[in-house]
Amino acid sequence: MNKVEAIVRPERLEAVKDALSEAGFVGLNIVSVTGRGVQKGIVHSGRGGEEYRVDMLPKSKIELVVKDADTEKVVQTIIQASRTGTIGDGKIFVLPVSDAIRVRTGERGDAAI
Amino acid sequence: MNKVEAIVRPERLEAVKDALSEAGFVGLNIVSVTGRGVQKGIVHSGRGGEEYRVDMLPKSKIELVVKDADTEKVVQTIIQASRTGTIGDGKIFVLPVSDAIRVRTGERGDAAI
Amino acid sequence: MNKVEAIVRPERLEAVKDALSEAGFVGLNIVSVTGRGVQKGIVHSGRGGEEYRVDMLPKSKIELVVKDADTEKVVQTIIQASRTGTIGDGKIFVLPVSDAIRVRTGERGDAAI
Amino acid sequence: MPEISSGDTAWVMMSAALVMLMTPGLALFYGGLARSKHVLATIMQSFFMLGVITLVFVTVGYSLAFGPDHYGLIGDFSWVFLQDVSASEPGPYAATIPHQTFVIFQAMFAIITPALITGAFAERAKFSTFLIFMILWSLLVYSPVAHWVWSLGGWLGGLPEENGDVGIGALDFAGGTVVHINAGIAALVAAILYGKRHGFGREPMEAHDITMVVVGAALLWFGWFGFNAGSAVSAGALASNAFVVTHIAAATAMVVWVALSWIVQGKPSVVGAAAGAVAGLVAITPASGAVDAMGAIAVGAGAGALCYLAVRMRSKVGLDDSLDVVGVHGVGGAWGAIATGIFATATITGGAEGLLKGDSAQFFDQLIGVGATMLYSLVVTYGILKVLDLTIGIRVKEDEELMGLDASQHGERAYQLETGGSYAGIPVAQANGAPYTPAPSTSPSEARS
Amino acid sequence: MPEISSGDTAWVMMSAALVMLMTPGLALFYGGLARSKHVLATIMQSFFMLGVITLVFVTVGYSLAFGPDHYGLIGDFSWVFLQDVSASEPGPYAATIPHQTFVIFQAMFAIITPALITGAFAERAKFSTFLIFMILWSLLVYSPVAHWVWSLGGWLGGLPEENGDVGIGALDFAGGTVVHINAGIAALVAAILYGKRHGFGREPMEAHDITMVVVGAALLWFGWFGFNAGSAVSAGALASNAFVVTHIAAATAMVVWVALSWIVQGKPSVVGAAAGAVAGLVAITPASGAVDAMGAIAVGAGAGALCYLAVRMRSKVGLDDSLDVVGVHGVGGAWGAIATGIFATATITGGAEGLLKGDSAQFFDQLIGVGATMLYSLVVTYGILKVLDLTIGIRVKEDEELMGLDASQHGERAYQLETGGSYAGIPVAQANGAPYTPAPSTSPSEARS
Amino acid sequence: MPEISSGDTAWVMMSAALVMLMTPGLALFYGGLARSKHVLATIMQSFFMLGVITLVFVTVGYSLAFGPDHYGLIGDFSWVFLQDVSASEPGPYAATIPHQTFVIFQAMFAIITPALITGAFAERAKFSTFLIFMILWSLLVYSPVAHWVWSLGGWLGGLPEENGDVGIGALDFAGGTVVHINAGIAALVAAILYGKRHGFGREPMEAHDITMVVVGAALLWFGWFGFNAGSAVSAGALASNAFVVTHIAAATAMVVWVALSWIVQGKPSVVGAAAGAVAGLVAITPASGAVDAMGAIAVGAGAGALCYLAVRMRSKVGLDDSLDVVGVHGVGGAWGAIATGIFATATITGGAEGLLKGDSAQFFDQLIGVGATMLYSLVVTYGILKVLDLTIGIRVKEDEELMGLDASQHGERAYQLETGGSYAGIPVAQANGAPYTPAPSTSPSEARS
Ligand SMILES: Nc1ncnc2c1ncn2[C@@H]1O[C@H](COP(=O)(O)OP(=O)(O)O)[C@@H](O)[C@H]1O
Ligand SMILES: Nc1ncnc2c1ncn2[C@@H]1O[C@H](COP(=O)(O)OP(=O)(O)O)[C@@H](O)[C@H]1O
Ligand SMILES: Nc1ncnc2c1ncn2[C@@H]1O[C@H](COP(=O)(O)OP(=O)(O)O)[C@@H](O)[C@H]1O
C-alpha cells in the first residue's frame, strides 16, 4: 500500500475530489495547510502602501491510502483534475505504508482501505 | 520506528488520548482533518428544504511515532478506545520512519521518541 | 527522497522558515497541530481558580520532501533555528518517499521537488 | 407656526440612528448566513448602501419620493439637494420636528430596502453592476412606491394633497409594502435572473457563522423599534403602541418558527429563532400603527408559520434565493399588509378597522396596495436587471465565484487566524509538577545570527 | 388627567430598546465564555427568552407582578392579555408615559432575568426541559418577587396600595433583588442540581472567543443605561443620576477586578475587565436611585473586589456554576442591595438615608429584602427543578454533551470556515519579481469534461 | 431658574450612551485590524479606558477641563470629585439638563480620545506603562485642550467667562481639535517613539478579521450620532442638523475612499469602506454645528480623498502607525477643522461664516486652533512618552511581541475553536441511501471500563 499526499490549489479541491470519487477512490482526508513554493509566494500591497512578501499561501492537502496497483491511477487522476499549468499547481508525494487497519471491523491490509 | 496515523471520530478523541497515555504513549500530535469514507457522508437538509450530500465530515487525525516493537500495542489501544462498531469509525495506517530526532537534545532514533 | 516532518514551537516557525529558505529549501508546507509531549503539557488556572492540565499545546508541523542527500542538512538547519533548549522543543521525523510528482509539468522524482 | 418638540425630535433622531444600525445588522445577518469566502462581499453589499444610497436619496430620491405630488404617482425635483428642505423648521410630514430630521429618518429606510434585496443574489453578484442596479432601483422603484404610499397625495396612501386629492388609504405604517414586499419581489426577480450558484443543491451552502446571524438578528430587532415606533414621528401613544406590538410580534414569530423547525425537522433551530424574529418584525411593520398587542400575537404567529413554510418550500420550486429574501420579506411583508386589513382596530388607527371588526373596505385597500407594489416592483426590477445583464453582465465569472467574492471582487480575505500561537493561559506549573518556565527569549533574529 | 410627556416617553421607549439589547448582549457574553461546540446552545438559552418570556409576561406575568395587590404578595389576573392596560393613557406606575410603555419596559426585565440563570447550567441543559423550567420560574418566582418589591402594595417595596397599605420600603431601584439576587440564587440551586459538566476540573473549559465576551459586556453596559436610568420612568434628575452612577460603578469595578487579577494571577485579565464591568453594573442596579456619584465609586469598588473573590473561590467549593452567575449576580446583587443601605443619601432618594448618614433603619430593610428574596428563590427554584429532574430530566445524555449541545440539541454548527480558499490580498507581483497572473479560469466542470 | 427639559435630557443621556458604545466600537475596529495574537490586547487598550479614564475624569479631569477658568488656559480643582456639580440642576454649559448629565456626556469624550491613540502603537505596547501614559495624557493634554476650546473663558473657543473674557472663537462643535487632531498628533509622536513592529514591512500584518472591522465601524457610526448631535446638548434644530450632516459626510467619505481604492489598487476595498466612513465622521465632527447638508458632502468628499492619500503614503515615510490613526484622525480632524472655516454658514452657526461666504476671519481662527492643538499635543505627548521610555520602558520585549501581546500581557488567548466536533447538520439519511444512525452513545468512560 501507498499513501498518496497531494498538495493542490483549494479552488481545485472539489474537482479533484469528484474525479477521485468517479475513479472509484472514495475514502480520503483533507488537511488545510499553507504552502511555500519555489516562487516564494506573491507580493502584496498593504493598507499603508507597503509591499511585502506573502510566502505562505493556503493549499489543500489530500491524503489517501491506496493499493500499490492503484497508485499510478490515483496520481494521474489527481494531476488531470488539478493541473492549471501555472506556477503553484502543487505536488504529489507517494509514501510507502506498511499496514492499514479498519477500526470498525479490525480488517487489515488492502481489505481495510 | 513507525509512524501511526489514526483517523478517529472527534468525539472519541479524548478517550483515545487517555487510553494511549495510560498505555504509556504520551507524545503525539492531533491534526483536524475532514474525511470522506465509503458511505460518502450523510445527506443533510438545508434551510430551504434542499437535500444535499455532505461528503466531508470532521475527523481527528492522531499521529505518533513509536518503536517498531510498540506498534501493535498502539494500534490495539487505539482500536479499543475508538471503536463504536458503526460506519465512520476510521482507519489506522502504519508508515515506516527512517529517523527521529529530539530537537532539544539532538538524540536520535528510538531514544528521541 | 525523504519527507521531513518537524514539529516546532509556533513562535520559532518564522525563524525555521527563514533558515530553510536561506539554506536553499524553499518549498514546504505548514500544518497547525496540537501536540502532547512527555511532560504532559502545563497546569493552567481557570477563571474559577480551578487548576487543570492543558495537555495539548499548539505546535506547527513543517513538512517538506527533500532529496536523500539533503536530508541531514535540512534536519540540522531546522534544529539550529528551532532549538531553545527547554522542554517542548519538538521532534523531527524522517519518512521515506517513493515518488514525487510536480503537477504543473508532470516531472517526477528528484526533479519534482 | 408649529413648534419643534424636543421629546419628539429626540425620539425621531434616536429612531433614525436605530434604523441606520439595521443596515450593518442586516449585513451581519446575511454575512453569517453566507459562506466564509463570500462573507465580506455579502456584508459590503449591505454596508455600502449606507454610502451610495445616502447620496442618491438626499440629492434626488427624497424629492422624488416626498416632493410635491404629480398625479399621485411621483414627486418632482423641487427638493433636490435638499433645497427648500429646512434644517430647523418642520416640513409637511411631521409637525414637531425639523424637516431634515424627517429626511434623515426616511433616508435610513431608503438605504436598507435595496440592502434587503442583496440576499437573493448573494455569493455571485458582480460588484460594479450591483452598484448600478441599486442606484437605478432606488430611483425607479423605491422612490415611486414610497411616494404612492407615504407622500401627500400619493395614490395608495391616505394623506391629502394640497388640492384635496386623497389616496385610497391603504395602511402601511412603517413600510410593509414600500420596504418589504417591494424588496421581496425584487429579490424574486433577481434570484431568477442571477441564476443558481455554482453547486447549488449539490454542495452544502450552510451559514458560516451562526453567532453572526444571531447578532445580526438582534441588531435588526433593536433597530426595528426605531423603524416602527419612529414612524410615528413623535413620541406619544402611537409610537408606544408601535413599539409594543413590534416586540410582541417578533417574539411570537420567533417561537412559532422554532416550534415548527422542531416539529418538522426534529430539532429547534437557532437560525430559525433568528429568522423567525425577523419574519415577525417584517410582518408587523405595516401593521404597527393599526393593531393592538393581542393583534400583534396573531400577526406574529401568522408570520412565523407562513414564512417558515415559504422557506421550506423554496427548494421545491428550485429557486436559489440564497438568503431567503422572498420567503421572509416577500411573504412576511405581504402577510403583514393583509393582516393589517384583518386585525386593524380603530382604537389604534383612530378610524380604519379590519375584517375582524366586520369592515372589509380596508382589507380590499390592503390587497390593492400589495398587488400594485408587487406588479410594479416585478416589472421595473425585471427591466433594470435584464438590461444590465445583456449589457455589462450581472454575475461574476465562474472561477471568481469559486474563488470567493471576497477575493475576486474586493481583493480581501475576511479571516486570518494565526496558525498556532503560544498557549496563552496563565500556567502555574508543568503537568508533571515541575515549575513552569516559558521558552527563553531568544528571538528568531538572534537565533539566526 | 395626567398628560403623556414626549420626552419621558421617548426615554422609556429608548430604555426599553436598550434593555432588550441586553439579552443578546448577555447571549454573547455567555456564548463567548462557552466552548465552541456549545456556543449556539448557550446563545439560544438567552436569545430565545426574548420569544418565550415575552409571551409569558404580556399574557400573564405582568398581571401577576403588577396587577392589583393581594396581601402584599401577588397580583392577580385582572390584566391578563393586557386587558385594561391602556396603550395610550398612563397607568398607575408612571404618570407621564402610556401604561403599555411601562409594560414593555418591564417585559425586558422579565426576559433577561431567567436568561441570567442560564450561565449556571451552560453546556449541559436539555433544551426542552429548560424551556419548561424558565416558563415556570418566570411565573412562580420572578412575578411574585417583582410584585413584592415594585408593585403598589407589595410588602417589600414602599409603594402605597389604594387601601393605604405600604411595604416596608426596601430600596431596589432597578432590580438588585428582583433580578440579580433572584437569578443568582436560582443559579446556585441550578448549578448544584444540574451537576458538574463532564470533565469539569480535569479538562480546560476556557472561553472559546474572548472578543465575543467583550462585545457582550459592552452591549450589556450600553443597555444597562436603559435598565437603570430608564427605571426612573422619566427623563429628569433621577434618571440622570442613575445614568451617572451606573457608568461610574461599572468603571470602578472594572478597574478593581483587573487590578486584582493582576496581583493575584500575575496578569491583567481581559475577561476580568468584562466580568468586572458586569459586576459593577449588577451592584449599582439597586443603588442607582439612592447613591450619588462618589457613592457609586464605593459600590463599584466593593463589587469588583467581592465578586472577584467569589469567583476565584468557586473551585474551592467544587461548584460548577459554569459562567459564574452566583459569583457575579448573586454576590454582586447582594452587595448592591446592602450597599444601598449603607450609602443611600437623601439628596438622591428624597428621604431614605444609609448607615453612613447614621441611619440604620434602611440598612435593616435592605437585609430583609435580600434575605426574603434569597429564601424564596432558593425554595421555589429547588422545587421546580427537582420535580423536572425526577420526571422528564433536566440534563442531556453524556454523549450529547460530549458531541456538543449545538449539534445534539439544535442540529447546528456555529462555525464553518472554508478550509483553504485562495489568498485574497491584492497581489501586485510574484515574489520573484515576475508579474502576477492568477490561476486560469478553467472551472472544475470544464476541467472534468 | 432654568428648568430641566425631559426631551433634552433624554437626548443627551441617549447621546452619552451612544458615545460610550463608540469605545467598544473602536476596540473592535482596531481589534479586527490587528493580528489574531494581539487582538485582545488591542481591544483592551480601548476597552479599559472606560474604566480608568472614567475615574480620572470624574475625579479630576472634568474640573480641570470645565472648571472655573484661569487665564483661558486651564480649569482648577473646584469641581474635583464632582463636588458642587449638581446631579439635578443645570450647570453653566447646558441650560436644560442636569449638570451631571453634561459631565457624563463629556466623560465619554475623554474616554475615547486616548483610546484613539492606541492604534498607533498597537501590537507592541507594554500594558503597565501604557496605563500610566494614558492617565498622564488625559490630565496633561486632553483636559487643557478641552478647556481651551469648550470651557467658559477658554482662549480658543468662543464662550464668555464671567468677567467677560471671550476666546478667539475657533469653531469645534464636537471635537475636531480636542479629540481628533489631538489624538492624531499624539499618535504620530507615539508611532515614532514606540518604533516599528518586529517584521514591519517584511511580513504581512493584515487585518485578522475584517468582519470585526466593519462591526466596529458600524458601531462608531451609530455612536457618532450621539457624539455630534449630542454636542448640541439639546434636542432641537442644532442637534438635528448635526445629525444630518454627520450621516451625509460619513456616507460621502465612504464612497470616495472605496472609489479611490478601486481606481488606485484595482478593487473596491471593504476595509476601505469602513475606514472611509470613519474618516468622514472624523472630519464632520468639528463642522457639524457649522455646515449644512450640502457642505457635508464637501467635507466628506475631502475627508475620503485626503485620508486615503495620507494612509497610502504612510509606508513611503516609513511610519509604523499601525492602525492609521495619523492618516485618519490627524488628517481627517485637521481637514474638518479647516473645512469648518471654509464651509461654515450662518444659517447653521447663527453667525460665523466660512471662506466660501467670503469671510476669512473664521478660517484663520480655525488655523490657529489647529496649529495650537498640534503644537501642544506634540510637545507634551513627546515629553510624557520620552520620560516613560527612559524610565520604565514603553515597549514589550521582542519575544513577548512575537508570542503575541494577548499571551504575554494578559495571559489569554482570544480564540479556542474545538478541533473537529461532530458534524452538526440535521442528517436525514446516509448518502448511500441507508437511513442515518448516529454513533452509539457509549461514552468514553464506559468505553474504557
Ligand atoms: N519540497 C516540497 N515539499 C513539500 N511540499 C512542497 C515542496 N515544494 C513545494 N511544495 C508545495 O507545493 C506547492 C506548489 O509549489 P510551487 O513550487 O509553488 O509550484 P509548482 O510545483 O507548480 O512549481 C507549494 O505551495 C507547497 O505547498
Ligand atoms: N483510503 C483512505 N485513505 C485515507 N483515509 C481514509 C481512507 N478511507 C477512509 N478514510 C478515512 O476514514 C474515515 C472513515 O472511513 P469510512 O469508510 O467512513 O468508515 P469505515 O472505515 O468504518 O468503513 C473517513 O472519514 C476518512 O477520514
Ligand atoms: N512520539 C511522538 N510522535 C509524534 N510527535 C511527538 C511525539 N512525542 C512528542 N511529539 C511532539 O513533540 C512535541 C514536543 O515534545 P516534548 O516531549 O514536549 O519535548 P521534547 O521533545 O523537548 O522532550 C510534542 O508537543 C509533540 O507535538
Side-chain angles (χ1 to χ4, degrees), chain A residues 21-89:
Chain A
S21 164
E22 275 168 37
F25 303 100
V26 175
L28 51 76
N29 293 304
I30 312 292
V31 190
S32 295
V33 307
T34 57
R36 180 170 76 179
V38 283
Q39 90 283 17
K40 288 197 179 185
I42 53 179
V43 175
H44 181 272
S45 164
R47 252 193 348 271
E50 68 280 9
E51 299 193 345
Y52 51 77
R53 183 165 48 90
V54 178
D55 60 353
M56 303 304 300
L57 301 180
K59 298 278 170 186
S60 294
K61 182 165 75 158
I62 303 171
E63 298 184 335
L64 72 171
V65 173
V66 295
K67 289 175 211 156
D68 289 337
D70 289 333
T71 309
E72 193 55 28
K73 190 172 162 203
V74 164
V75 167
Q76 292 307 333
T77 306
I78 295 175
I79 291 181
Q80 256 168 42
S82 70
R83 182 182 286 170
T84 69
T86 50
I87 282 184
D89 268 3

Side-chain angles (χ1 to χ4, degrees), chain F residues 275-344:
Chain F
V278 173
L281 291 163
V282 166
I284 198 66
T285 297
S288 54
V291 305
D292 61 15
M294 291 306 118
I297 292 185
V299 173
L306 292 171
C307 296
Y308 177 79
L309 293 177
V311 167
R312 287 303 293 177
M313 271 164 40
R314 162 163 60 77
S315 75
K316 298 282 180 298
V317 297
L319 184 72
D320 187 9
D321 171 18
S322 318
L323 311 178
D324 286 313
V325 188
V326 181
V328 172
H329 296 274
V331 173
W335 160 247
I338 293 167
T340 304
I342 302 174
F343 302 104

Side-chain angles (χ1 to χ4, degrees), chain F residues 88-260:
Chain F
S88 51
E89 304 300 321
Y93 293 102
T96 55
I97 63 173
H99 193 172
Q100 285 199 2
T101 308
F102 180 76
V103 173
I104 205 73
F105 180 65
Q106 284 298 333
M108 304 307 179
F109 284 64
I111 290 162
I112 198 170
T113 308
L116 290 173
I117 309 173
T118 65
F121 49 74
E123 309 198 325
R124 58 199 186 281
K126 198 159 116 183
F127 188 69
S128 52
T129 313
F130 153 78
L131 285 181
I132 299 171
F133 171 37
M134 285 313 180
I135 293 169
L136 292 176
W137 195 87
S138 186
L139 291 170
L140 302 182
V141 184
Y142 183 81
S143 279
V145 176
H147 186 85
W148 299 355
V149 178
W150 287 332
S151 79
L152 290 171
W155 75 274
L156 262 180
L159 295 181
E161 209 183 345
E162 240 160 82
N163 60 19
D165 275 6
V166 181
I168 64 167
L171 293 176
D172 183 3
F173 191 68
T177 48
V178 181
V179 174
H180 296 289
I181 297 178
N182 205 354
I185 294 299
L188 178 65
V189 173
I192 293 167
L193 288 182
Y194 270 92
K196 295 179 192 174
R197 282 168 293 174
H198 184 89
F200 178 71
R202 201 171 58 88
E203 288 169 28
M205 297 185 165
E206 294 300 290
H208 90 283
D209 186 352
I210 297 180
T211 70
M212 189 184 276
V213 175
V214 173
V215 173
L219 291 182
L220 284 170
W221 191 327
F222 178 60
W224 226 295
F225 290 124
F227 203 89
N228 289 356
S231 288
V233 291
S234 61
L238 191 59
S240 173
N241 183 72
F243 193 109
V244 170
V245 297
T246 298
H247 185 72
I248 292 175
T252 312
M254 180 195 231
V255 170
V256 169
W257 189 306
V258 169
L260 285 172

Side-chain angles (χ1 to χ4, degrees), chain E residues 211-240:
Chain E
T211 69
M212 189 185 276
V213 175
V214 173
V215 173
L219 291 182
L220 283 170
W221 192 326
F222 177 61
W224 225 294
F225 290 124
F227 202 89
N228 289 356
S231 288
V233 292
S234 61
L238 191 58
S240 173

